[in-house]
Amino acid sequence: MKRAVFPGTFDPITIGHVDIIRRALPLFDEIVIGVGRNNDKTHLFELDTRLNWIREIFKNEPKISVDHYPGLTVDFARYKNAQCILRGLRSVTDFEYEFQISQVNKALNPEIETCFIMATPAFTPISSKIVRDLIIKGGDYKPFVPDEVRV
Ligand code: ADP
């Protein structure tokens, strides 16, 4: 069983996240979307709201499940019996950060690999942070999120 976890804060989930998940689906038997806590970020949306949106988006996809975790992503991956941590890469800035984290994760648990999927060019500028800014300032956020995300 090839299982990956896709960790993130998903505050909120965007069409960029969904694109990475859907493209990764043929590569794995199961993908567990893990909503983690990022100590550097304050959330706009409650954990339950974020989880419910993700569940709704993937309700017809039996290979995808959703859970949340309070601690380290490698511990979550081990708990889920996943061999892979899946991440998306949009830019060199993403790369610098992801490279460092993946090396630390490798040191913490050498059995778990981090796998990267490059962002689809049209989705490269999309981030949860930009969507949050649009929501807070009354901009049209809808083109950047799945239909299920409505505030
Ligand atoms: P984190 O809080 O860990 O940065 P995010 O919820 O922002 O998590 O994102 C989770 C993962 O999705 C990260 O690997 C991030 O690089 C990736 N990602 C976010 N937005 C996009 C996008 N538009 N295209 C591709 N990957 C993306």
Side-chain angles (χ1 to χ4, degrees), residues 92-126:
V92 176
T93 314
D94 268 1
F95 175 79
E96 297 271 1
Y97 174 74
E98 297 288 347
F99 187 54
Q100 200 176 7
I101 297 279
S102 68
Q103 288 186 324
V104 172
N105 283 339
K106 190 77 181 163
L108 291 171
N109 189 336
E111 290 176 4
I112 297 173
E113 297 292 347
T114 305
C115 312
F116 296 99
I117 290 190
M118 298 297 166
T120 295
F123 300 150
T124 300
I126 302 173

mmCIF file of all heavy atoms in Angstrom, residues 92-126:
data_model
loop_
_atom_site.group_PDB
_atom_site.id
_atom_site.type_symbol
_atom_site.label_atom_id
_atom_site.label_comp_id
_atom_site.label_asym_id
_atom_site.label_seq_id
_atom_site.Cartn_x
_atom_site.Cartn_y
_atom_site.Cartn_z
ATOM 1 N N VAL A 92 11.213 29.340 -6.124
ATOM 2 C CA VAL A 92 12.502 29.126 -5.457
ATOM 3 C C VAL A 92 12.360 29.377 -3.954
ATOM 4 O O VAL A 92 12.993 28.701 -3.141
ATOM 5 C CB VAL A 92 13.570 30.055 -6.080
ATOM 6 C CG1 VAL A 92 14.893 29.934 -5.333
ATOM 7 C CG2 VAL A 92 13.765 29.740 -7.544
ATOM 8 N N THR A 93 11.506 30.307 -3.601
ATOM 9 C CA THR A 93 11.281 30.579 -2.173
ATOM 10 C C THR A 93 10.687 29.347 -1.495
ATOM 11 O O THR A 93 11.128 28.948 -0.412
ATOM 12 C CB THR A 93 10.324 31.784 -1.999
ATOM 13 O OG1 THR A 93 10.744 32.812 -2.863
ATOM 14 C CG2 THR A 93 10.282 32.267 -0.577
ATOM 15 N N ASP A 94 9.681 28.743 -2.133
ATOM 16 C CA ASP A 94 9.130 27.479 -1.615
ATOM 17 C C ASP A 94 10.246 26.448 -1.493
ATOM 18 O O ASP A 94 10.364 25.745 -0.498
ATOM 19 C CB ASP A 94 8.078 26.894 -2.575
ATOM 20 C CG ASP A 94 6.660 27.341 -2.258
ATOM 21 O OD1 ASP A 94 6.477 28.113 -1.311
ATOM 22 O OD2 ASP A 94 5.737 26.903 -2.986
ATOM 23 N N PHE A 95 11.080 26.376 -2.558
ATOM 24 C CA PHE A 95 12.127 25.346 -2.587
ATOM 25 C C PHE A 95 13.078 25.471 -1.399
ATOM 26 O O PHE A 95 13.397 24.481 -0.733
ATOM 27 C CB PHE A 95 12.920 25.404 -3.901
ATOM 28 C CG PHE A 95 14.075 24.444 -3.916
ATOM 29 C CD1 PHE A 95 13.873 23.087 -4.167
ATOM 30 C CD2 PHE A 95 15.362 24.883 -3.622
ATOM 31 C CE1 PHE A 95 14.923 22.190 -4.133
ATOM 32 C CE2 PHE A 95 16.423 23.984 -3.588
ATOM 33 C CZ PHE A 95 16.203 22.644 -3.846
ATOM 34 N N GLU A 96 13.536 26.690 -1.124
ATOM 35 C CA GLU A 96 14.495 26.914 -0.027
ATOM 36 C C GLU A 96 13.917 26.380 1.291
ATOM 37 O O GLU A 96 14.586 25.682 2.045
ATOM 38 C CB GLU A 96 14.773 28.421 0.135
ATOM 39 C CG GLU A 96 15.420 29.072 -1.062
ATOM 40 C CD GLU A 96 16.931 29.018 -1.025
ATOM 41 O OE1 GLU A 96 17.468 28.454 -0.059
ATOM 42 O OE2 GLU A 96 17.554 29.518 -1.982
ATOM 43 N N TYR A 97 12.665 26.726 1.536
ATOM 44 C CA TYR A 97 11.993 26.331 2.769
ATOM 45 C C TYR A 97 11.762 24.818 2.796
ATOM 46 O O TYR A 97 12.090 24.136 3.773
ATOM 47 C CB TYR A 97 10.671 27.100 2.859
ATOM 48 C CG TYR A 97 9.779 26.700 3.996
ATOM 49 C CD1 TYR A 97 10.077 27.062 5.310
ATOM 50 C CD2 TYR A 97 8.612 25.968 3.762
ATOM 51 C CE1 TYR A 97 9.249 26.696 6.355
ATOM 52 C CE2 TYR A 97 7.771 25.604 4.803
ATOM 53 C CZ TYR A 97 8.097 25.965 6.090
ATOM 54 O OH TYR A 97 7.263 25.593 7.122
ATOM 55 N N GLU A 98 11.243 24.294 1.690
ATOM 56 C CA GLU A 98 10.898 22.877 1.632
ATOM 57 C C GLU A 98 12.134 21.981 1.710
ATOM 58 O O GLU A 98 12.104 20.900 2.294
ATOM 59 C CB GLU A 98 10.124 22.570 0.342
ATOM 60 C CG GLU A 98 8.798 23.277 0.219
ATOM 61 C CD GLU A 98 7.735 22.725 1.168
ATOM 62 O OE1 GLU A 98 7.939 21.641 1.741
ATOM 63 O OE2 GLU A 98 6.721 23.399 1.338
ATOM 64 N N PHE A 99 13.218 22.441 1.093
ATOM 65 C CA PHE A 99 14.468 21.676 1.099
ATOM 66 C C PHE A 99 14.966 21.488 2.536
ATOM 67 O O PHE A 99 15.313 20.378 2.958
ATOM 68 C CB PHE A 99 15.497 22.438 0.255
ATOM 69 C CG PHE A 99 16.788 21.706 0.016
ATOM 70 C CD1 PHE A 99 16.794 20.424 -0.519
ATOM 71 C CD2 PHE A 99 18.004 22.310 0.305
ATOM 72 C CE1 PHE A 99 17.985 19.755 -0.751
ATOM 73 C CE2 PHE A 99 19.202 21.642 0.079
ATOM 74 C CZ PHE A 99 19.188 20.368 -0.444
ATOM 75 N N GLN A 100 14.929 22.590 3.276
ATOM 76 C CA GLN A 100 15.386 22.554 4.667
ATOM 77 C C GLN A 100 14.500 21.629 5.511
ATOM 78 O O GLN A 100 15.003 20.746 6.219
ATOM 79 C CB GLN A 100 15.312 23.985 5.201
ATOM 80 C CG GLN A 100 16.162 24.235 6.408
ATOM 81 C CD GLN A 100 16.094 25.703 6.809
ATOM 82 O OE1 GLN A 100 15.325 26.492 6.277
ATOM 83 N NE2 GLN A 100 16.903 26.054 7.767
ATOM 84 N N ILE A 101 13.188 21.838 5.390
ATOM 85 C CA ILE A 101 12.251 21.020 6.182
ATOM 86 C C ILE A 101 12.394 19.542 5.827
ATOM 87 O O ILE A 101 12.389 18.674 6.705
ATOM 88 C CB ILE A 101 10.786 21.456 5.907
ATOM 89 C CG1 ILE A 101 10.547 22.892 6.339
ATOM 90 C CG2 ILE A 101 9.780 20.503 6.566
ATOM 91 C CD1 ILE A 101 10.297 23.084 7.799
ATOM 92 N N SER A 102 12.543 19.247 4.529
ATOM 93 C CA SER A 102 12.603 17.837 4.122
ATOM 94 C C SER A 102 13.864 17.175 4.666
ATOM 95 O O SER A 102 13.858 15.993 5.017
ATOM 96 C CB SER A 102 12.516 17.697 2.602
ATOM 97 O OG SER A 102 13.665 18.221 1.989
ATOM 98 N N GLN A 103 14.947 17.946 4.758
ATOM 99 C CA GLN A 103 16.177 17.365 5.300
ATOM 100 C C GLN A 103 16.059 17.110 6.801
ATOM 101 O O GLN A 103 16.543 16.091 7.303
ATOM 102 C CB GLN A 103 17.360 18.274 4.989
ATOM 103 C CG GLN A 103 17.723 18.208 3.507
ATOM 104 C CD GLN A 103 18.979 18.972 3.172
ATOM 105 O OE1 GLN A 103 19.248 20.024 3.749
ATOM 106 N NE2 GLN A 103 19.749 18.456 2.246
ATOM 107 N N VAL A 104 15.407 18.020 7.491
ATOM 108 C CA VAL A 104 15.195 17.808 8.931
ATOM 109 C C VAL A 104 14.270 16.599 9.130
ATOM 110 O O VAL A 104 14.531 15.733 9.975
ATOM 111 C CB VAL A 104 14.609 19.079 9.601
ATOM 112 C CG1 VAL A 104 14.198 18.790 11.037
ATOM 113 C CG2 VAL A 104 15.611 20.217 9.550
ATOM 114 N N ASN A 105 13.223 16.524 8.317
ATOM 115 C CA ASN A 105 12.304 15.380 8.432
ATOM 116 C C ASN A 105 13.022 14.064 8.155
ATOM 117 O O ASN A 105 12.759 13.044 8.797
ATOM 118 C CB ASN A 105 11.114 15.548 7.490
ATOM 119 C CG ASN A 105 10.103 16.541 8.039
ATOM 120 O OD1 ASN A 105 10.074 16.815 9.239
ATOM 121 N ND2 ASN A 105 9.275 17.093 7.173
ATOM 122 N N LYS A 106 13.945 14.082 7.190
ATOM 123 C CA LYS A 106 14.717 12.876 6.856
ATOM 124 C C LYS A 106 15.578 12.454 8.047
ATOM 125 O O LYS A 106 15.728 11.262 8.339
ATOM 126 C CB LYS A 106 15.589 13.177 5.631
ATOM 127 C CG LYS A 106 16.265 11.982 5.032
ATOM 128 C CD LYS A 106 15.275 11.168 4.220
ATOM 129 C CE LYS A 106 15.948 9.946 3.632
ATOM 130 N NZ LYS A 106 14.974 8.951 3.202
ATOM 131 N N ALA A 107 16.144 13.448 8.734
ATOM 132 C CA ALA A 107 16.960 13.144 9.914
ATOM 133 C C ALA A 107 16.087 12.583 11.043
ATOM 134 O O ALA A 107 16.504 11.693 11.784
ATOM 135 C CB ALA A 107 17.686 14.410 10.377
ATOM 136 N N LEU A 108 14.871 13.102 11.154
ATOM 137 C CA LEU A 108 13.972 12.635 12.218
ATOM 138 C C LEU A 108 13.459 11.234 11.936
ATOM 139 O O LEU A 108 13.301 10.422 12.850
ATOM 140 C CB LEU A 108 12.776 13.592 12.351
ATOM 141 C CG LEU A 108 13.065 14.987 12.909
ATOM 142 C CD1 LEU A 108 11.841 15.886 12.771
ATOM 143 C CD2 LEU A 108 13.504 14.917 14.362
ATOM 144 N N ASN A 109 13.180 10.962 10.657
ATOM 145 C CA ASN A 109 12.711 9.622 10.282
ATOM 146 C C ASN A 109 13.197 9.280 8.873
ATOM 147 O O ASN A 109 12.550 9.649 7.884
ATOM 148 C CB ASN A 109 11.184 9.530 10.355
ATOM 149 C CG ASN A 109 10.716 8.093 10.177
ATOM 150 O OD1 ASN A 109 11.436 7.275 9.584
ATOM 151 N ND2 ASN A 109 9.548 7.785 10.690
ATOM 152 N N PRO A 110 14.325 8.552 8.770
ATOM 153 C CA PRO A 110 14.913 8.266 7.451
ATOM 154 C C PRO A 110 14.037 7.392 6.562
ATOM 155 O O PRO A 110 14.282 7.309 5.364
ATOM 156 C CB PRO A 110 16.218 7.522 7.801
ATOM 157 C CG PRO A 110 16.422 7.708 9.259
ATOM 158 C CD PRO A 110 15.102 8.004 9.877
ATOM 159 N N GLU A 111 13.029 6.758 7.133
ATOM 160 C CA GLU A 111 12.174 5.869 6.320
ATOM 161 C C GLU A 111 11.122 6.629 5.516
ATOM 162 O O GLU A 111 10.481 6.060 4.634
ATOM 163 C CB GLU A 111 11.468 4.854 7.230
ATOM 164 C CG GLU A 111 12.442 3.841 7.784
ATOM 165 C CD GLU A 111 11.782 2.885 8.749
ATOM 166 O OE1 GLU A 111 10.557 2.953 8.944
ATOM 167 O OE2 GLU A 111 12.522 2.084 9.330
ATOM 168 N N ILE A 112 10.947 7.883 5.840
ATOM 169 C CA ILE A 112 9.899 8.651 5.154
ATOM 170 C C ILE A 112 10.531 9.617 4.157
ATOM 171 O O ILE A 112 11.395 10.424 4.503
ATOM 172 C CB ILE A 112 9.019 9.409 6.169
ATOM 173 C CG1 ILE A 112 8.313 8.392 7.069
ATOM 174 C CG2 ILE A 112 8.011 10.306 5.455
ATOM 175 C CD1 ILE A 112 7.543 8.977 8.206
ATOM 176 N N GLU A 113 10.107 9.502 2.894
ATOM 177 C CA GLU A 113 10.606 10.387 1.838
ATOM 178 C C GLU A 113 9.662 11.569 1.655
ATOM 179 O O GLU A 113 8.449 11.426 1.839
ATOM 180 C CB GLU A 113 10.691 9.640 0.495
ATOM 181 C CG GLU A 113 11.661 8.485 0.468
ATOM 182 C CD GLU A 113 13.114 8.932 0.569
ATOM 183 O OE1 GLU A 113 13.403 10.139 0.425
ATOM 184 O OE2 GLU A 113 13.968 8.039 0.793
ATOM 185 N N THR A 114 10.234 12.711 1.278
ATOM 186 C CA THR A 114 9.379 13.830 0.874
ATOM 187 C C THR A 114 9.338 13.865 -0.651
ATOM 188 O O THR A 114 10.385 13.807 -1.304
ATOM 189 C CB THR A 114 9.910 15.168 1.416
ATOM 190 O OG1 THR A 114 10.049 15.075 2.832
ATOM 191 C CG2 THR A 114 8.943 16.303 1.092
ATOM 192 N N CYS A 115 8.134 13.918 -1.218
ATOM 193 C CA CYS A 115 7.967 13.942 -2.670
ATOM 194 C C CYS A 115 7.344 15.278 -3.060
ATOM 195 O O CYS A 115 6.406 15.739 -2.412
ATOM 196 C CB CYS A 115 7.019 12.828 -3.115
ATOM 197 S SG CYS A 115 7.413 11.236 -2.391
ATOM 198 N N PHE A 116 7.884 15.861 -4.130
ATOM 199 C CA PHE A 116 7.405 17.180 -4.549
ATOM 200 C C PHE A 116 6.736 17.102 -5.914
ATOM 201 O O PHE A 116 7.214 16.405 -6.810
ATOM 202 C CB PHE A 116 8.577 18.161 -4.631
ATOM 203 C CG PHE A 116 9.231 18.400 -3.302
ATOM 204 C CD1 PHE A 116 10.408 17.734 -2.951
ATOM 205 C CD2 PHE A 116 8.667 19.271 -2.389
ATOM 206 C CE1 PHE A 116 11.000 17.939 -1.716
ATOM 207 C CE2 PHE A 116 9.248 19.489 -1.150
ATOM 208 C CZ PHE A 116 10.422 18.816 -0.817
ATOM 209 N N ILE A 117 5.674 17.860 -6.045
ATOM 210 C CA ILE A 117 5.033 18.046 -7.352
ATOM 211 C C ILE A 117 5.078 19.542 -7.655
ATOM 212 O O ILE A 117 4.734 20.372 -6.800
ATOM 213 C CB ILE A 117 3.596 17.500 -7.348
ATOM 214 C CG1 ILE A 117 3.647 15.967 -7.274
ATOM 215 C CG2 ILE A 117 2.830 17.963 -8.591
ATOM 216 C CD1 ILE A 117 2.344 15.258 -7.487
ATOM 217 N N MET A 118 5.540 19.861 -8.869
ATOM 218 C CA MET A 118 5.637 21.264 -9.265
ATOM 219 C C MET A 118 4.256 21.848 -9.508
ATOM 220 O O MET A 118 3.401 21.194 -10.130
ATOM 221 C CB MET A 118 6.462 21.405 -10.553
ATOM 222 C CG MET A 118 7.891 20.944 -10.412
ATOM 223 S SD MET A 118 8.764 21.955 -9.200
ATOM 224 C CE MET A 118 10.214 20.933 -8.958
ATOM 225 N N ALA A 119 4.061 23.078 -9.084
ATOM 226 C CA ALA A 119 2.776 23.747 -9.293
ATOM 227 C C ALA A 119 2.471 23.875 -10.779
ATOM 228 O O ALA A 119 3.369 24.081 -11.604
ATOM 229 C CB ALA A 119 2.823 25.139 -8.663
ATOM 230 N N THR A 120 1.202 23.762 -11.105
ATOM 231 C CA THR A 120 0.738 24.082 -12.454
ATOM 232 C C THR A 120 0.939 25.591 -12.649
ATOM 233 O O THR A 120 0.562 26.375 -11.768
ATOM 234 C CB THR A 120 -0.763 23.718 -12.564
ATOM 235 O OG1 THR A 120 -0.876 22.302 -12.426
ATOM 236 C CG2 THR A 120 -1.355 24.167 -13.886
ATOM 237 N N PRO A 121 1.557 26.017 -13.782
ATOM 238 C CA PRO A 121 1.887 27.441 -13.943
ATOM 239 C C PRO A 121 0.732 28.402 -13.620
ATOM 240 O O PRO A 121 0.946 29.418 -12.953
ATOM 241 C CB PRO A 121 2.308 27.537 -15.413
ATOM 242 C CG PRO A 121 2.869 26.183 -15.708
ATOM 243 C CD PRO A 121 2.068 25.208 -14.911
ATOM 244 N N ALA A 122 -0.474 28.061 -14.047
ATOM 245 C CA ALA A 122 -1.605 28.982 -13.818
ATOM 246 C C ALA A 122 -1.916 29.147 -12.326
ATOM 247 O O ALA A 122 -2.528 30.138 -11.920
ATOM 248 C CB ALA A 122 -2.839 28.468 -14.549
ATOM 249 N N PHE A 123 -1.481 28.180 -11.505
ATOM 250 C CA PHE A 123 -1.811 28.224 -10.074
ATOM 251 C C PHE A 123 -0.641 28.696 -9.210
ATOM 252 O O PHE A 123 -0.771 28.807 -7.994
ATOM 253 C CB PHE A 123 -2.272 26.836 -9.592
ATOM 254 C CG PHE A 123 -3.496 26.324 -10.299
ATOM 255 C CD1 PHE A 123 -3.694 24.968 -10.472
ATOM 256 C CD2 PHE A 123 -4.456 27.196 -10.774
ATOM 257 C CE1 PHE A 123 -4.830 24.486 -11.117
ATOM 258 C CE2 PHE A 123 -5.597 26.735 -11.419
ATOM 259 C CZ PHE A 123 -5.778 25.368 -11.595
ATOM 260 N N THR A 124 0.491 28.960 -9.852
ATOM 261 C CA THR A 124 1.693 29.341 -9.098
ATOM 262 C C THR A 124 1.471 30.563 -8.184
ATOM 263 O O THR A 124 1.976 30.583 -7.063
ATOM 264 C CB THR A 124 2.868 29.594 -10.073
ATOM 265 O OG1 THR A 124 3.095 28.391 -10.785
ATOM 266 C CG2 THR A 124 4.128 29.975 -9.347
ATOM 267 N N PRO A 125 0.710 31.578 -8.632
ATOM 268 C CA PRO A 125 0.569 32.747 -7.743
ATOM 269 C C PRO A 125 -0.414 32.546 -6.599
ATOM 270 O O PRO A 125 -0.541 33.438 -5.748
ATOM 271 C CB PRO A 125 0.045 33.852 -8.680
ATOM 272 C CG PRO A 125 -0.126 33.249 -10.013
ATOM 273 C CD PRO A 125 0.027 31.779 -9.911
ATOM 274 N N ILE A 126 -1.102 31.412 -6.564
ATOM 275 C CA ILE A 126 -2.175 31.242 -5.573
ATOM 276 C C ILE A 126 -1.624 30.703 -4.257
ATOM 277 O O ILE A 126 -0.917 29.694 -4.239
ATOM 278 C CB ILE A 126 -3.264 30.286 -6.113
ATOM 279 C CG1 ILE A 126 -3.820 30.839 -7.428
ATOM 280 C CG2 ILE A 126 -4.373 30.084 -5.098
ATOM 281 C CD1 ILE A 126 -4.763 29.892 -8.130
#
